[in-house]
Amino acid sequence: MPETRPLRADPALLAAVADYFKVLSETSRLQILTCLKSGPMNVMEIAEATGLGQANLSKHLKVLTQAGILSRQPKGTSAYYEIADPMIFEFCELACDRVSQRVQQQAESLQALRERATVF
């Protein structure tokens, strides 16, 4: 397991971290990242895979590219997007695992409450 370092209290650094989380806080952007996990795709391929409209998709691709999460490679008349830093998937898997654990714990707590309620 990688060594963890405490967050530094530098407000500029914390603001940059908050901005990074904001980029990842949009479901459509997570959909885009998921479909790019298999490799580079052009806008039409991403639109087909995600069901997002082209204008909406372009907006999200721009945000992800500006954040350094995606890179854009022009090829002929198309542009292909790909993951710039594969570490994003480890980060997302860690977050998904934590959320899944929390949901499971909440479900177990709710089930225990239901079982106690039926006793009375």
Side-chain angles (χ1 to χ4, degrees):
M1 177 169 256
E3 182 181 325
T4 59
R5 289 179 265 147
L7 280 177
R8 292 180 232 136
D10 177 9
L13 176 62
L14 294 176
V17 170
D19 288 343
Y20 190 79
F21 281 117
K22 286 177 194 173
V23 169
L24 297 175
S25 71
E26 171 62 48
T27 304
S28 297
R29 293 184 196 134
L30 295 175
Q31 282 181 281
I32 293 166
L33 294 177
T34 300
C35 78
L36 290 174
K37 191 171 188 177
S38 62
M41 297 176 121
N42 67 28
V43 174
M44 295 306 293
E45 293 168 330
I46 298 169
E48 187 176 304
T50 61
L52 297 171
Q54 190 159 350
N56 192 22
L57 177 58
S58 293
K59 176 186 77 170
H60 291 304
L61 289 170
K62 181 179 179 181
V63 170
L64 288 164
T65 302
Q66 287 176 337
I69 296 170
L70 297 184
S71 64
R72 181 182 182 275
Q73 305 299 324
K75 288 186 184 173
T77 59
S78 294
Y80 282 77
Y81 290 86
E82 63 185 333
I83 303 299
D85 182 3
M87 183 67 89
I88 191 70
F89 294 116
E90 291 179 42
F91 180 67
C92 287
E93 286 177 24
L94 177 63
C96 287
D97 288 347
R98 294 289 190 225
V99 169
S100 179
Q101 289 172 4
R102 191 178 78 230
V103 168
Q104 181 64 34
Q105 289 170 347
Q106 289 172 341
E108 290 170 2
S109 295
L110 183 59
Q111 182 62 32
L113 286 172
R114 285 185 183 143
E115 289 171 3
R116 279 188 258 155
T118 58
V119 173
F120 296 109

